[in-house]
Amino acid sequence: MIALARTRFPGHRWVCADMREAEVEGPFHGVIAWDSIFHLPPEDQAAMVVKGAGLLAPDGAFLFNTGSARDETIGCQFGDELYHASLAPAEYRALFAGHGLLEVAFVPHDHATGGRAIWLVRKGR
């Protein structure tokens, strides 16, 4: 996907790295973490919310998806096992409160996206 993105948008910087270790400099007006954070263990998910908050400019938006309840499970995709986990909504909200993020929208079971829980938060001024 990164190679394709580089051909379509050659003037942009593309980083292929473990999101927990990637070094990027903000601030950004928006951060999107789609179908990614929920593949991390719960404690790493919490760290990624904090990292996302730190990358945002004031009023910047952070869009990401999770499970709808605290859970860890092994699913299956294309015949391979695939790890999924999630914090509880109250845990995400506590992270938001502690790191200057304001909840804009939360959909616990979005049918248009296969039942994913979707969060949209923004950084306060």
mmCIF file of all heavy atoms in Angstrom, residues 16-52:
data_model
loop_
_atom_site.group_PDB
_atom_site.id
_atom_site.type_symbol
_atom_site.label_atom_id
_atom_site.label_comp_id
_atom_site.label_asym_id
_atom_site.label_seq_id
_atom_site.Cartn_x
_atom_site.Cartn_y
_atom_site.Cartn_z
ATOM 1 N N CYS A 16 6.687 3.754 6.674
ATOM 2 C CA CYS A 16 6.265 2.375 6.919
ATOM 3 C C CYS A 16 7.006 1.911 8.165
ATOM 4 O O CYS A 16 8.222 1.682 8.123
ATOM 5 C CB CYS A 16 6.603 1.497 5.713
ATOM 6 S SG CYS A 16 5.983 -0.184 5.867
ATOM 7 N N ALA A 17 6.301 1.838 9.286
ATOM 8 C CA ALA A 17 6.923 1.500 10.562
ATOM 9 C C ALA A 17 5.859 1.032 11.539
ATOM 10 O O ALA A 17 4.664 1.253 11.322
ATOM 11 C CB ALA A 17 7.638 2.726 11.130
ATOM 12 N N ASP A 18 6.305 0.417 12.610
ATOM 13 C CA ASP A 18 5.415 0.075 13.709
ATOM 14 C C ASP A 18 4.898 1.395 14.289
ATOM 15 O O ASP A 18 5.694 2.247 14.696
ATOM 16 C CB ASP A 18 6.198 -0.713 14.756
ATOM 17 C CG ASP A 18 5.341 -1.207 15.910
ATOM 18 O OD1 ASP A 18 4.464 -0.440 16.394
ATOM 19 O OD2 ASP A 18 5.562 -2.330 16.357
ATOM 20 N N MET A 19 3.605 1.575 14.334
ATOM 21 C CA MET A 19 3.034 2.854 14.768
ATOM 22 C C MET A 19 3.453 3.224 16.178
ATOM 23 O O MET A 19 3.499 4.397 16.534
ATOM 24 C CB MET A 19 1.507 2.842 14.634
ATOM 25 C CG MET A 19 0.793 1.961 15.628
ATOM 26 S SD MET A 19 -0.993 1.998 15.439
ATOM 27 C CE MET A 19 -1.229 0.577 14.409
ATOM 28 N N ARG A 20 3.768 2.240 16.991
ATOM 29 C CA ARG A 20 4.180 2.516 18.368
ATOM 30 C C ARG A 20 5.562 3.143 18.432
ATOM 31 O O ARG A 20 5.885 3.830 19.396
ATOM 32 C CB ARG A 20 4.152 1.224 19.198
ATOM 33 C CG ARG A 20 2.749 0.646 19.345
ATOM 34 C CD ARG A 20 2.781 -0.749 19.880
ATOM 35 N NE ARG A 20 3.334 -1.645 18.856
ATOM 36 C CZ ARG A 20 3.333 -2.963 18.937
ATOM 37 N NH1 ARG A 20 2.851 -3.558 20.012
ATOM 38 N NH2 ARG A 20 3.829 -3.694 17.975
ATOM 39 N N GLU A 21 6.370 2.920 17.400
ATOM 40 C CA GLU A 21 7.750 3.406 17.401
ATOM 41 C C GLU A 21 8.013 4.488 16.362
ATOM 42 O O GLU A 21 9.080 5.102 16.371
ATOM 43 C CB GLU A 21 8.696 2.230 17.170
ATOM 44 C CG GLU A 21 8.595 1.172 18.253
ATOM 45 C CD GLU A 21 9.318 -0.114 17.908
ATOM 46 O OE1 GLU A 21 9.973 -0.175 16.850
ATOM 47 O OE2 GLU A 21 9.218 -1.063 18.709
ATOM 48 N N ALA A 22 7.073 4.719 15.472
ATOM 49 C CA ALA A 22 7.282 5.692 14.393
ATOM 50 C C ALA A 22 7.500 7.089 14.956
ATOM 51 O O ALA A 22 6.775 7.523 15.848
ATOM 52 C CB ALA A 22 6.087 5.686 13.440
ATOM 53 N N GLU A 23 8.483 7.763 14.424
ATOM 54 C CA GLU A 23 8.777 9.142 14.822
ATOM 55 C C GLU A 23 8.221 10.071 13.745
ATOM 56 O O GLU A 23 8.709 10.072 12.621
ATOM 57 C CB GLU A 23 10.291 9.344 14.961
ATOM 58 C CG GLU A 23 10.942 8.507 16.049
ATOM 59 C CD GLU A 23 10.576 8.971 17.446
ATOM 60 O OE1 GLU A 23 10.313 10.184 17.634
ATOM 61 O OE2 GLU A 23 10.554 8.112 18.353
ATOM 62 N N VAL A 24 7.192 10.808 14.080
ATOM 63 C CA VAL A 24 6.626 11.799 13.165
ATOM 64 C C VAL A 24 6.480 13.105 13.927
ATOM 65 O O VAL A 24 6.277 13.109 15.140
ATOM 66 C CB VAL A 24 5.267 11.359 12.568
ATOM 67 C CG1 VAL A 24 5.441 10.166 11.643
ATOM 68 C CG2 VAL A 24 4.269 11.021 13.653
ATOM 69 N N GLU A 25 6.627 14.187 13.198
ATOM 70 C CA GLU A 25 6.528 15.504 13.832
ATOM 71 C C GLU A 25 5.224 16.166 13.439
ATOM 72 O O GLU A 25 4.901 16.254 12.264
ATOM 73 C CB GLU A 25 7.705 16.372 13.404
ATOM 74 C CG GLU A 25 9.037 15.891 13.948
ATOM 75 C CD GLU A 25 10.169 16.815 13.601
ATOM 76 O OE1 GLU A 25 9.936 18.037 13.488
ATOM 77 O OE2 GLU A 25 11.296 16.305 13.452
ATOM 78 N N GLY A 26 4.498 16.617 14.417
ATOM 79 C CA GLY A 26 3.277 17.370 14.197
ATOM 80 C C GLY A 26 3.575 18.839 14.349
ATOM 81 O O GLY A 26 4.736 19.223 14.276
ATOM 82 N N PRO A 27 2.609 19.624 14.572
ATOM 83 C CA PRO A 27 1.228 19.171 14.777
ATOM 84 C C PRO A 27 0.493 18.985 13.450
ATOM 85 O O PRO A 27 0.858 19.551 12.434
ATOM 86 C CB PRO A 27 0.621 20.303 15.590
ATOM 87 C CG PRO A 27 1.362 21.525 15.154
ATOM 88 C CD PRO A 27 2.763 21.053 14.855
ATOM 89 N N PHE A 28 -0.558 18.160 13.519
ATOM 90 C CA PHE A 28 -1.397 17.876 12.370
ATOM 91 C C PHE A 28 -2.821 18.364 12.645
ATOM 92 O O PHE A 28 -3.261 18.385 13.781
ATOM 93 C CB PHE A 28 -1.438 16.367 12.082
ATOM 94 C CG PHE A 28 -0.102 15.800 11.706
ATOM 95 C CD1 PHE A 28 0.670 15.120 12.641
ATOM 96 C CD2 PHE A 28 0.396 15.945 10.427
ATOM 97 C CE1 PHE A 28 1.900 14.589 12.303
ATOM 98 C CE2 PHE A 28 1.625 15.419 10.070
ATOM 99 C CZ PHE A 28 2.379 14.741 11.017
ATOM 100 N N HIS A 29 -3.530 18.676 11.581
ATOM 101 C CA HIS A 29 -4.943 19.052 11.702
ATOM 102 C C HIS A 29 -5.821 17.814 11.819
ATOM 103 O O HIS A 29 -6.969 17.907 12.250
ATOM 104 C CB HIS A 29 -5.392 19.910 10.524
ATOM 105 C CG HIS A 29 -4.676 21.224 10.464
ATOM 106 N ND1 HIS A 29 -4.890 22.224 11.375
ATOM 107 C CD2 HIS A 29 -3.723 21.670 9.628
ATOM 108 C CE1 HIS A 29 -4.113 23.254 11.092
ATOM 109 N NE2 HIS A 29 -3.391 22.929 10.036
ATOM 110 N N GLY A 30 -5.274 16.668 11.431
ATOM 111 C CA GLY A 30 -6.039 15.435 11.536
ATOM 112 C C GLY A 30 -5.134 14.220 11.577
ATOM 113 O O GLY A 30 -4.064 14.217 10.969
ATOM 114 N N VAL A 31 -5.567 13.217 12.318
ATOM 115 C CA VAL A 31 -4.886 11.930 12.393
ATOM 116 C C VAL A 31 -5.963 10.865 12.209
ATOM 117 O O VAL A 31 -7.021 10.923 12.852
ATOM 118 C CB VAL A 31 -4.177 11.738 13.756
ATOM 119 C CG1 VAL A 31 -3.629 10.328 13.897
ATOM 120 C CG2 VAL A 31 -3.066 12.769 13.932
ATOM 121 N N ILE A 32 -5.699 9.896 11.332
ATOM 122 C CA ILE A 32 -6.624 8.783 11.106
ATOM 123 C C ILE A 32 -5.885 7.489 11.404
ATOM 124 O O ILE A 32 -4.797 7.258 10.881
ATOM 125 C CB ILE A 32 -7.153 8.765 9.658
ATOM 126 C CG1 ILE A 32 -7.902 10.059 9.347
ATOM 127 C CG2 ILE A 32 -8.044 7.536 9.433
ATOM 128 C CD1 ILE A 32 -8.301 10.196 7.886
ATOM 129 N N ALA A 33 -6.493 6.654 12.236
ATOM 130 C CA ALA A 33 -5.948 5.327 12.541
ATOM 131 C C ALA A 33 -7.087 4.330 12.322
ATOM 132 O O ALA A 33 -7.811 3.986 13.251
ATOM 133 C CB ALA A 33 -5.426 5.282 13.971
ATOM 134 N N TRP A 34 -7.252 3.909 11.084
ATOM 135 C CA TRP A 34 -8.374 3.049 10.715
ATOM 136 C C TRP A 34 -7.907 1.604 10.610
ATOM 137 O O TRP A 34 -6.921 1.308 9.933
ATOM 138 C CB TRP A 34 -8.974 3.513 9.379
ATOM 139 C CG TRP A 34 -10.312 2.916 9.136
ATOM 140 C CD1 TRP A 34 -10.593 1.838 8.356
ATOM 141 C CD2 TRP A 34 -11.538 3.345 9.714
ATOM 142 N NE1 TRP A 34 -11.931 1.560 8.409
ATOM 143 C CE2 TRP A 34 -12.542 2.476 9.231
ATOM 144 C CE3 TRP A 34 -11.888 4.368 10.584
ATOM 145 C CZ2 TRP A 34 -13.873 2.602 9.589
ATOM 146 C CZ3 TRP A 34 -13.210 4.493 10.940
ATOM 147 C CH2 TRP A 34 -14.188 3.618 10.439
ATOM 148 N N ASP A 35 -8.633 0.708 11.256
ATOM 149 C CA ASP A 35 -8.317 -0.720 11.252
ATOM 150 C C ASP A 35 -6.864 -0.983 11.642
ATOM 151 O O ASP A 35 -6.194 -1.829 11.048
ATOM 152 C CB ASP A 35 -8.624 -1.354 9.895
ATOM 153 C CG ASP A 35 -10.096 -1.637 9.692
ATOM 154 O OD1 ASP A 35 -10.901 -1.376 10.614
ATOM 155 O OD2 ASP A 35 -10.465 -2.124 8.610
ATOM 156 N N SER A 36 -6.385 -0.253 12.638
ATOM 157 C CA SER A 36 -4.995 -0.428 13.042
ATOM 158 C C SER A 36 -4.838 -0.560 14.551
ATOM 159 O O SER A 36 -4.283 -1.548 15.028
ATOM 160 C CB SER A 36 -4.136 0.727 12.520
ATOM 161 O OG SER A 36 -4.640 1.975 12.958
ATOM 162 N N ILE A 37 -5.317 0.396 15.305
ATOM 163 C CA ILE A 37 -5.109 0.405 16.752
ATOM 164 C C ILE A 37 -5.656 -0.862 17.401
ATOM 165 O O ILE A 37 -5.062 -1.400 18.323
ATOM 166 C CB ILE A 37 -5.716 1.681 17.385
ATOM 167 C CG1 ILE A 37 -4.897 2.907 16.974
ATOM 168 C CG2 ILE A 37 -5.771 1.570 18.905
ATOM 169 C CD1 ILE A 37 -5.463 4.216 17.467
ATOM 170 N N PHE A 38 -6.763 -1.388 16.900
ATOM 171 C CA PHE A 38 -7.368 -2.542 17.563
ATOM 172 C C PHE A 38 -6.596 -3.839 17.364
ATOM 173 O O PHE A 38 -6.954 -4.878 17.905
ATOM 174 C CB PHE A 38 -8.852 -2.711 17.231
ATOM 175 C CG PHE A 38 -9.206 -2.970 15.799
ATOM 176 C CD1 PHE A 38 -8.691 -4.033 15.081
ATOM 177 C CD2 PHE A 38 -10.116 -2.145 15.165
ATOM 178 C CE1 PHE A 38 -9.064 -4.282 13.774
ATOM 179 C CE2 PHE A 38 -10.503 -2.375 13.856
ATOM 180 C CZ PHE A 38 -9.964 -3.452 13.159
ATOM 181 N N HIS A 39 -5.496 -3.788 16.615
ATOM 182 C CA HIS A 39 -4.627 -4.963 16.503
ATOM 183 C C HIS A 39 -3.521 -4.945 17.556
ATOM 184 O O HIS A 39 -2.687 -5.844 17.599
ATOM 185 C CB HIS A 39 -4.007 -5.042 15.106
ATOM 186 C CG HIS A 39 -5.017 -5.338 14.039
ATOM 187 N ND1 HIS A 39 -5.760 -6.499 14.017
ATOM 188 C CD2 HIS A 39 -5.430 -4.610 12.984
ATOM 189 C CE1 HIS A 39 -6.572 -6.476 12.971
ATOM 190 N NE2 HIS A 39 -6.398 -5.346 12.335
ATOM 191 N N LEU A 40 -3.502 -3.924 18.402
ATOM 192 C CA LEU A 40 -2.508 -3.799 19.457
ATOM 193 C C LEU A 40 -3.087 -4.264 20.793
ATOM 194 O O LEU A 40 -4.304 -4.164 21.006
ATOM 195 C CB LEU A 40 -2.079 -2.333 19.611
ATOM 196 C CG LEU A 40 -1.450 -1.672 18.393
ATOM 197 C CD1 LEU A 40 -1.223 -0.187 18.664
ATOM 198 C CD2 LEU A 40 -0.150 -2.356 18.008
ATOM 199 N N PRO A 41 -2.233 -4.705 21.724
ATOM 200 C CA PRO A 41 -2.723 -5.028 23.064
ATOM 201 C C PRO A 41 -3.327 -3.776 23.713
ATOM 202 O O PRO A 41 -2.952 -2.645 23.365
ATOM 203 C CB PRO A 41 -1.460 -5.469 23.817
ATOM 204 C CG PRO A 41 -0.476 -5.831 22.756
ATOM 205 C CD PRO A 41 -0.806 -4.978 21.565
ATOM 206 N N PRO A 42 -4.241 -3.953 24.661
ATOM 207 C CA PRO A 42 -4.921 -2.801 25.271
ATOM 208 C C PRO A 42 -3.986 -1.709 25.791
ATOM 209 O O PRO A 42 -4.245 -0.523 25.585
ATOM 210 C CB PRO A 42 -5.744 -3.428 26.398
ATOM 211 C CG PRO A 42 -6.036 -4.808 25.899
ATOM 212 C CD PRO A 42 -4.786 -5.229 25.162
ATOM 213 N N GLU A 43 -2.893 -2.079 26.460
ATOM 214 C CA GLU A 43 -1.997 -1.050 26.995
ATOM 215 C C GLU A 43 -1.339 -0.236 25.876
ATOM 216 O O GLU A 43 -1.096 0.960 26.022
ATOM 217 C CB GLU A 43 -0.939 -1.658 27.932
ATOM 218 C CG GLU A 43 -0.022 -2.676 27.289
ATOM 219 C CD GLU A 43 -0.569 -4.111 27.222
ATOM 220 O OE1 GLU A 43 -1.737 -4.363 27.578
ATOM 221 O OE2 GLU A 43 0.211 -4.980 26.799
ATOM 222 N N ASP A 44 -1.070 -0.877 24.742
ATOM 223 C CA ASP A 44 -0.502 -0.153 23.600
ATOM 224 C C ASP A 44 -1.549 0.733 22.937
ATOM 225 O O ASP A 44 -1.225 1.789 22.390
ATOM 226 C CB ASP A 44 0.093 -1.120 22.578
ATOM 227 C CG ASP A 44 1.371 -1.790 23.070
ATOM 228 O OD1 ASP A 44 1.955 -1.317 24.070
ATOM 229 O OD2 ASP A 44 1.784 -2.788 22.457
ATOM 230 N N GLN A 45 -2.805 0.303 22.979
ATOM 231 C CA GLN A 45 -3.873 1.153 22.447
ATOM 232 C C GLN A 45 -3.957 2.450 23.234
ATOM 233 O O GLN A 45 -4.091 3.532 22.658
ATOM 234 C CB GLN A 45 -5.219 0.432 22.492
ATOM 235 C CG GLN A 45 -5.305 -0.713 21.519
ATOM 236 C CD GLN A 45 -6.673 -1.325 21.492
ATOM 237 O OE1 GLN A 45 -7.682 -0.635 21.595
ATOM 238 N NE2 GLN A 45 -6.726 -2.635 21.330
ATOM 239 N N ALA A 46 -3.874 2.337 24.538
ATOM 240 C CA ALA A 46 -3.916 3.537 25.381
ATOM 241 C C ALA A 46 -2.757 4.463 25.013
ATOM 242 O O ALA A 46 -2.939 5.681 24.865
ATOM 243 C CB ALA A 46 -3.852 3.153 26.853
ATOM 244 N N ALA A 47 -1.571 3.906 24.828
ATOM 245 C CA ALA A 47 -0.406 4.717 24.454
ATOM 246 C C ALA A 47 -0.599 5.379 23.094
ATOM 247 O O ALA A 47 -0.152 6.512 22.878
ATOM 248 C CB ALA A 47 0.853 3.852 24.463
ATOM 249 N N MET A 48 -1.282 4.714 22.175
ATOM 250 C CA MET A 48 -1.506 5.293 20.847
ATOM 251 C C MET A 48 -2.516 6.439 20.902
ATOM 252 O O MET A 48 -2.404 7.402 20.138
ATOM 253 C CB MET A 48 -1.956 4.231 19.853
ATOM 254 C CG MET A 48 -0.864 3.237 19.481
ATOM 255 S SD MET A 48 0.688 4.007 18.933
ATOM 256 C CE MET A 48 0.140 4.977 17.548
ATOM 257 N N VAL A 49 -3.499 6.362 21.784
ATOM 258 C CA VAL A 49 -4.425 7.492 21.948
ATOM 259 C C VAL A 49 -3.656 8.700 22.479
ATOM 260 O O VAL A 49 -3.824 9.820 21.997
ATOM 261 C CB VAL A 49 -5.611 7.120 22.868
ATOM 262 C CG1 VAL A 49 -6.427 8.356 23.237
ATOM 263 C CG2 VAL A 49 -6.503 6.078 22.193
ATOM 264 N N VAL A 50 -2.785 8.461 23.440
ATOM 265 C CA VAL A 50 -1.960 9.544 23.986
ATOM 266 C C VAL A 50 -1.038 10.102 22.901
ATOM 267 O O VAL A 50 -0.894 11.319 22.754
ATOM 268 C CB VAL A 50 -1.153 9.042 25.209
ATOM 269 C CG1 VAL A 50 -0.150 10.091 25.674
ATOM 270 C CG2 VAL A 50 -2.102 8.652 26.334
ATOM 271 N N LYS A 51 -0.433 9.227 22.119
ATOM 272 C CA LYS A 51 0.450 9.671 21.030
ATOM 273 C C LYS A 51 -0.339 10.484 20.009
ATOM 274 O O LYS A 51 0.108 11.535 19.551
ATOM 275 C CB LYS A 51 1.109 8.460 20.361
ATOM 276 C CG LYS A 51 2.132 8.810 19.313
ATOM 277 C CD LYS A 51 2.839 7.562 18.803
ATOM 278 C CE LYS A 51 3.976 7.923 17.874
ATOM 279 N NZ LYS A 51 4.752 6.711 17.491
ATOM 280 N N GLY A 52 -1.522 10.005 19.647
ATOM 281 C CA GLY A 52 -2.379 10.737 18.706
ATOM 282 C C GLY A 52 -2.722 12.119 19.227
ATOM 283 O O GLY A 52 -2.672 13.101 18.486
#
